[in-house]
């Protein structure tokens, strides 16, 4: 084969294969990168939340009290065990004073927080622990204190909005309640139950 024919053959092959090579290179360049996590969920985390809550008390024979709105908050220490699951301990509380009567509810829970997506800050939460309710009445001549302690549980959800890699602002909504809490009046067992439930909402500041 003459040199000119060899050159023509090489040129024809190059022209035929060039579009396929460019297309393959384009596909390689356009391949999406793996999604980055919304924030670093490994290691320990600390979160403080403040807001409000609507609370009600229930007991046999007295029905359910009217719901009362007041300040509420939480403090949580947690640790990420996977990019999707955080386990921790959380303290929640609600407090209101009116006409010299103070109502308080509090709960200490072991909680699990689940993030369905690695690229979103949305989470669902559940927990169980011990709840305590106190109604302190100082309106009469002799103060009375009605208290109960028993099993408590909570469910909730929120959204971590990252400020930077370590800090986030977290809007949240929780429902907390006690079940079968035994009541005492001024330290004397009343042989009846006093339970509380409250819807909690607010903003948290979280460090991861």
């Amino acid at each position: 084969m003459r040199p000119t024919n060899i050159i023509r053959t090489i040129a024809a092959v190059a022209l035929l294969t060039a579009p396929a090579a460019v297309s393959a290179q384009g596909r390689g360049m356009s391949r999406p990168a793996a999604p980055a996590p919304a924030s670093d969920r490994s290691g320990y985390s600390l979160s403080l939340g403040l807001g409000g809550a609507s609370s009600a008390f229930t007991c046999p024979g007295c029905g359910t009290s009217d719901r009362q709105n007041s300040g509420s908050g939480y403090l949580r220490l947690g640790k990420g065990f996977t990019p999707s699951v955080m386990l921790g301990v959380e303290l929640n509380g609600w407090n209101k004073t009116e006409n010299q009567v103070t109502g308080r509810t509090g709960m200490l829970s072991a909680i699990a927080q689940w993030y369905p997506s690695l690229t979103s800050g949305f989470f669902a939460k559940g927990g169980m622990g011990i709840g305590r309710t106190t109604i302190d009445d100082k309106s009469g001549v002799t103060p009375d204190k009605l208290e109960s302690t028993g099993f408590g549980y909570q469910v909730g959800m929120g959204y971590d909005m990252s400020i930077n890699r370590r800090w986030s602002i977290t809007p949240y909504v929780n429902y907390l309640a006690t079940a079968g809490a035994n009541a005492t009046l001024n330290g004397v067992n009343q042989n009846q139950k006093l339970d509380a439930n409250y819807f909690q909402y607010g903003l948290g500041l979280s460090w991861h």
Side-chain angles (χ1 to χ4, degrees):
M1 184 179 292
R2 295 180 180 179
T4 54
N5 291 337
I6 295 174
I7 293 172
R8 289 175 183 173
T9 301
I10 294 173
V13 172
L15 288 173
L16 290 173
T17 58
V22 171
S23 176
Q25 184 178 9
R27 287 195 300 269
M29 293 177 62
S30 62
R31 185 178 300 164
S39 63
D40 186 358
R41 296 172 186 156
S42 62
Y44 289 94
S45 65
L46 182 66
S47 184
L48 172 66
L50 295 174
S54 171
S55 182
F57 304 100
T58 60
C59 61
C62 62
T64 302
S65 69
D66 294 333
R67 303 201 72 85
Q68 299 290 322
N69 296 306
S70 190
S72 183
Y74 75 84
L75 177 64
R76 181 178 68 241
L77 174 65
K79 185 180 188 304
F81 284 86
T82 74
S84 298
V85 176
M86 187 272 290
L87 303 179
V89 178
E90 185 171 287
L91 178 65
N92 301 76
W94 174 91
N95 182 91
K96 182 173 184 177
T97 300
E98 186 175 290
N99 300 324
Q100 294 185 292
V101 179
T102 299
R104 300 186 186 92
T105 62
M107 190 176 300
L108 179 64
S109 308
I111 62 103
Q113 202 159 281
W114 173 57
Y115 295 83
S117 171
L118 297 182
T119 58
S120 170
F122 173 80
F123 62 84
K125 182 180 69 172
M128 296 183 295
I130 298 175
R132 183 171 178 81
T133 300
T134 303
I135 302 174
D136 196 355
D137 186 354
K138 297 181 179 178
S139 60
V141 177
T142 303
D144 289 318
K145 180 179 284 189
L146 183 62
E147 302 172 286
S148 69
T149 303
F151 171 75
Y153 62 93
Q154 66 159 300
V155 293
M157 64 181 66
Y159 196 98
D160 289 335
M161 298 186 296
S162 295
I163 302 173
N164 56 38
R165 187 172 178 270
R166 285 295 182 184
W167 291 93
S168 62
I169 295 175
T170 307
Y172 64 91
V173 179
N174 298 320
Y175 173 77
L176 305 99
T178 60
N182 193 52
T184 63
L185 177 62
N186 300 327
V188 179
N189 191 347
Q190 299 300 296
N191 294 316
Q192 67 175 18
K193 308 301 180 184
L194 172 65
D195 289 308
N197 66 79
Y198 52 112
F199 292 94
Q200 187 183 49
Y201 52 87
L203 282 177
L205 180 63
S206 304
W207 174 83
H208 304 275

